[in-house]
Amino acid sequence: MTEELSFAALLRRLRTAADLTLEQLAEASGVTDRAISDMERGVSRGPRVRTVEAITDGLGLSGDDRAALFAAARAGRASAAPPVPGGLPLPRRVLDFTGRDAELGRVARWAAGASEETAPVVVISGPPGVGKTSFAVQAAQAWPVEEQVFVDLRGLDTRPLSPSAVLGKLIRAVSPEQRAVPRDVDEAAALWHTLTRGRRLVVVLDNAISESQVRPALPPHGPASVLVTSRRALSGLEGVRRLRLDALPEADAVRLLSVILDDAGGAPESLRRLAGICVNIPLALRIAGNRLLSRPGWTLDDLISRLAAEEQRLTALAAGDLQVEAAFRLSYQQLTDVARRLFRRLSLVPGPSTGAGLASVLAGEPMPVTEQALDELVELCLLQQRPDGRLEFHDLLRLYAGAELDREETVAQRRDVIRRRDGWLLDTVVLAGRFFEPGFGAPPAGATPANAPPANAPATEAEAGAWLRQEADNWLPALQRAARDGDDQRVVDVAESLHWFSDSWGIWPHWLDVFTLSTRAAERLGDSLLATHLGYLAWVHIICMEEPEVATGHARRALAAARRAGDRKQEGWSNYYVGWALSRQGRWAEVLEYARPAVTCFRETVDKEGLPNGLMLVAIAVKGTGPADASIPLFEEAIVAVTDPATAPPPHIALFAESVARAFLAGIEFDAERWPTALRRLDESIAVAERLEQPNEPLLTAVSHRALVHARLGDLELARADLATVHKMYDEMGVRAPRTQLLRDRMTEVQHLLDEG
């Protein structure tokens, strides 16, 4: 083949001769179809030798054809890109650009919609180091070189380009003969808009500082497209497309490291570890890869060990003039004083995210001021707001915030912030937990300053429950710190306030931590408290851990402590916990030995919360010893106890107890195969359980049983609807499958009957 062709034309001819599509060549060579398309369109005119080797192998080339393709690639690399009028070409393309296929596809679709009347404007934002400029340059390669215009707006310099300077550069780029550019911004914008009308340009406005800097440069008419990159969200720009870049997916991050390291790469697991340390941020990944390549004596594990120490990580993520810390500092310097203070103190958030209330405590500012600072951090992409409203940043930004905290605030200041943080978290836990505790609820109106609720605390039971769940990763470390500091009373008070709330969140895995800490603290404070918290610990092992044997041991210790203290109320509860744990082991005769004394203690101490639980435990034990029908009057007695105003506990406790009792009554009819009566009992049980605020075990049990009753009675549609409801509730609870074998068997039986029907 003697005819001299460009690499693009030659590759296209050879692929066509081989009768291969782009996708087929991509599969054969290992080079992406998008990269091959770029080569054939002349966007990538001189690919690397290894890429050409892969393509020639994929095409099965040899001899003259193989040599010609290599020669064309060399010629493409040697030739400079044709100059752009006015000297505003795109900067050098990042050759190892990896991933972002979905985002590039979105830009391409938006650009394809350009018309004489529509000029797509895409604002590309994201935190420092995610590769906004590289992405914009990569996207702009889809346009012919002569239609590409790039302006660095110097948004993070001390003197960013003014709007008139931006327009001047753009006008001279597309019209070199235009020597005089109007000084007035409006006049210059009008001229720029005239010059771009009808031209299919791509204009990259890189590193914008504000809306006012770029707004005059946005054409009102197409078909030109504008890509604006900024560390700010530029929320004030109207009628634009928005694209936020965040960290790469893990697979793309590992692939980028592999491309950078080439033959020096390591095992996939080590690459994943390094990518994780770099939080999958392209800048950090490139720095890490370049550091390794510049140190021939290092292995991948050597670099990982150097970066593993958090106190050295930011310093170590530097290669020449590329520094992760320097990139972060440019954004930090753009903040107001309040936002800077908040940003660096957010490094003291124990968990992965925070709410505005905790941020206000850290900043030491009222909520309105804090919210403005949070908006500023989100706008500058130093903080990300999740769909649930929680705020977070990645680990490298957290480390940088901590470094600024160490530089700018004294040890005494940091200690004071931590003290305020933990005090507010634990005070708010107590307040929130007491919404669920009998006799407490919302604080009284006009509480004295000493008894007033903490600032920004939840004001309703629903808010309290949401706060306890959302801030659990933050208040649990505060509780652990109080335990380490020996503040036993504080630990006990917090755990006590959470006792009733824990019933509604039994799937949380850290109740063992909470009540283990409180039990250890209670051991030093007296037998009555010890009995109480050993009972809570028994509950954890019954409900959360499903370890009834362990629970029995804790409950027996609780009973001994209650008797030593002469505390009849706690003696009742300790008896109850022993009996409950034994019931999970099917030791029904022994259950009655503890359940009946528990009821006696509850009646004696007028414990409205304990009595229905004790009555139901007696009923369950009688059912267990048989015959089951003998327990029906006992369950009905428990229902009377929780519905009679004279003996009823608070509504949310009464509802739960009633739903459990009715579920057992329904179960008795079910086991006896008295289907019409079982269906009536199940409907009654579900009606009560549905009044509880969230999916719960009694409701799941009742709906599962009703599904089977419907199936047994031949009402398959109703059975199918109930089964779908059960699956939905498990999804909402974050549980994959029923907790008990009984429920698993029942659901399997329903599905079998549905399949047969």
Side-chain angles (χ1 to χ4, degrees), residues 129-447:
V130 294
K132 298 179 288 294
T133 300
S134 298
F135 175 85
V137 170
Q138 184 76 13
Q141 299 290 334
W143 279 260
V145 172
E146 63 274 12
E147 299 293 354
Q148 301 167 356
V149 181
F150 180 94
V151 181
D152 182 355
L153 306 184
R154 301 176 185 172
L156 297 178
D157 289 4
T158 54
R159 297 184 64 183
L161 289 184
S162 66
S164 59
V166 173
L167 289 167
K169 284 179 172 288
L170 291 171
I171 289 169
R172 294 187 183 95
V174 301
S175 182
E177 69 281 1
Q178 187 75 40
R179 297 183 178 180
V181 175
R183 293 185 178 181
D184 181 79
V185 172
D186 291 339
E187 292 180 9
L191 176 58
W192 163 243
H193 297 162
T194 299
L195 293 172
T196 57
R197 182 184 290 273
R199 293 194 61 175
R200 194 168 289 278
L201 298 170
V202 59
V203 180
V204 179
L205 301 177
D206 187 48
N207 202 8
I209 186 62
S210 66
E211 293 89 344
S212 61
Q213 188 186 31
V214 300
R215 188 176 280 114
L218 305 181
H221 306 289
S225 297
V226 182
L227 309 180
V228 182
T229 75
S230 179
R231 295 191 181 192
R232 298 178 182 272
L234 302 182
S235 304
L237 289 181
E238 63 284 342
V240 301
R241 302 281 191 174
R242 298 191 177 277
L243 187 66
R244 179 186 167 98
L245 298 183
D246 286 302
L248 291 170
E250 182 188 78
D252 287 341
V254 170
R255 189 152 56 94
L256 175 56
L257 279 174
S258 299
V259 171
I260 294 170
L261 296 176
D262 203 11
D263 292 333
E269 182 55 37
S270 294
L271 290 173
R272 279 193 292 272
R273 286 181 59 202
L274 181 56
I277 290 172
C278 295
V279 295
N280 298 342
I281 295 292
L283 174 62
L285 294 166
R286 287 199 171 89
I287 290 173
N290 290 337
R291 281 208 72 186
L292 188 59
L293 289 176
S294 64
R295 307 293 196 280
W298 286 11
T299 66
L300 188 55
D301 289 337
D302 290 333
L303 178 60
I304 289 172
S305 65
R306 287 174 180 265
L307 294 175
E310 289 189 349
E311 64 274 10
Q312 301 175 9
R313 189 172 303 165
L314 286 175
T315 304
L317 282 173
D321 62 353
L322 282 180
Q323 298 178 350
V324 167
E325 190 168 12
F328 293 165
R329 186 174 297 115
L330 287 171
S331 290
Y332 179 71
Q333 291 170 344
Q334 301 295 314
L335 298 170
T336 61
D337 289 343
V338 173
R340 285 189 191 184
R341 186 193 327 135
L342 176 56
F343 174 73
R344 58 182 181 257
R345 290 182 179 180
L346 285 173
S347 66
L348 297 175
V349 174
S353 68
T354 183
L358 178 54
S360 176
V361 173
L362 294 171
E365 297 287 352
M367 184 63 81
V369 176
T370 300
E371 288 176 336
Q372 289 179 357
L374 289 171
D375 287 345
E376 188 178 345
L377 291 170
V378 171
E379 177 72 16
L380 200 51
C381 297
L382 287 173
L383 204 60
Q384 183 172 2
Q385 189 163 31
R386 303 187 324 202
D388 63 359
R390 304 283 295 171
L391 298 146
E392 63 184 8
F393 47 25
H394 59 67
D395 285 346
L396 290 181
L397 276 173
R398 181 187 291 270
L399 290 175
Y400 175 71
E404 289 294 345
L405 182 69
D406 291 342
R407 277 192 285 265
E408 298 192 35
E409 303 200 32
T410 66
V411 172
Q413 286 175 314
R414 297 198 297 273
R415 285 176 179 167
D416 182 62
V417 175
I418 290 171
R419 179 187 57 78
R420 288 204 319 270
R421 175 199 71 187
D422 288 357
W424 180 83
L425 283 168
L426 297 183
D427 285 346
T428 307
V429 168
V430 172
L431 178 138
R434 284 181 170 171
F435 273 96
F436 302 87
E437 188 173 347
F440 281 93

Side-chain angles (χ1 to χ4, degrees), residues 470-745:
Q470 291 170 348
E471 294 288 359
D473 288 335
N474 294 324
W475 62 253
L476 178 59
L479 181 65
Q480 292 166 332
R481 180 187 291 268
R484 289 195 301 270
D485 292 345
D487 194 348
D488 291 336
Q489 191 61 55
R490 180 72 147 165
V491 172
V492 164
D493 288 345
V494 170
E496 180 65 40
S497 72
L498 291 167
H499 164 52
W500 290 100
F501 168 73
S502 64
D503 280 333
S504 66
W505 198 27
I507 62 172
W508 190 49
H510 296 293
W511 290 122
L512 180 62
D513 300 320
V514 171
F515 293 121
T516 297
L517 291 175
S518 68
T519 297
R520 291 172 182 168
E523 284 181 316
R524 295 183 284 271
L525 295 176
D527 281 333
S528 184
L529 283 173
L530 178 59
T532 300
H533 289 269
L534 278 168
Y536 300 161
L537 194 54
W539 171 85
V540 171
H541 285 281
I542 293 170
I543 295 298
C544 306
M545 310 295 291
E546 297 185 11
E547 296 173 341
E549 296 86 357
V550 177
T552 304
H554 290 311
R556 291 189 192 279
R557 284 184 60 206
L559 182 56
R563 286 171 175 166
R564 287 195 303 269
D567 188 330
R568 290 287 286 167
K569 179 175 181 177
Q570 286 308 317
E571 188 176 341
W573 279 107
S574 300
N575 272 305
Y576 171 75
Y577 283 122
V578 176
W580 190 8
L582 291 170
S583 74
R584 291 299 178 100
Q585 302 167 64
R587 295 158 63 177
W588 301 115
E590 293 176 78
V591 172
L592 285 172
E593 294 176 12
Y594 292 92
R596 285 176 173 145
V599 170
T600 299
C601 290
F602 290 144
R603 291 190 191 279
E604 178 184 317
T605 58
V606 195
D607 191 324
K608 293 183 178 181
E609 292 76 44
L611 181 59
N613 286 287
L615 289 170
M616 278 194 291
L617 187 58
V618 171
I620 293 168
V622 168
K623 176 179 178 292
T625 57
D629 283 2
S631 66
I632 292 176
L634 297 170
F635 283 117
E636 290 176 338
E637 183 182 359
I639 292 173
V640 170
V642 296
T643 55
D644 184 343
T647 57
H652 66 283
I653 299 172
L655 273 176
F656 186 80
E658 183 184 356
S659 67
V660 171
R662 292 193 182 280
F664 271 106
L665 288 170
I668 292 169
E669 303 298 336
F670 182 95
D671 292 339
E673 298 187 0
R674 297 190 287 259
W675 303 125
T677 307
L679 189 57
R680 175 177 62 80
R681 291 284 199 186
L682 286 167
D683 287 340
E684 292 170 350
S685 175
I686 291 168
V688 174
E690 284 179 337
R691 293 162 61 192
L692 296 167
E693 288 192 357
Q694 61 282 316
N696 52 80
E697 289 292 345
L699 180 59
L700 282 164
T701 302
V703 177
S704 300
H705 281 63
R706 191 173 68 179
L708 188 49
V709 171
H710 282 312
R712 291 278 181 84
L713 292 173
D715 295 328
L716 298 186
E717 287 305 312
L718 293 175
R720 190 172 287 109
D722 276 345
L723 191 61
T725 299
V726 171
H727 287 304
K728 180 181 178 182
M729 284 191 286
Y730 275 117
D731 289 341
E732 291 173 357
M733 294 173 69
V735 178
R736 292 186 177 181
R739 289 177 180 270
T740 66
Q741 186 62 47
L742 174 63
L743 279 182
R744 287 193 286 271
D745 291 345

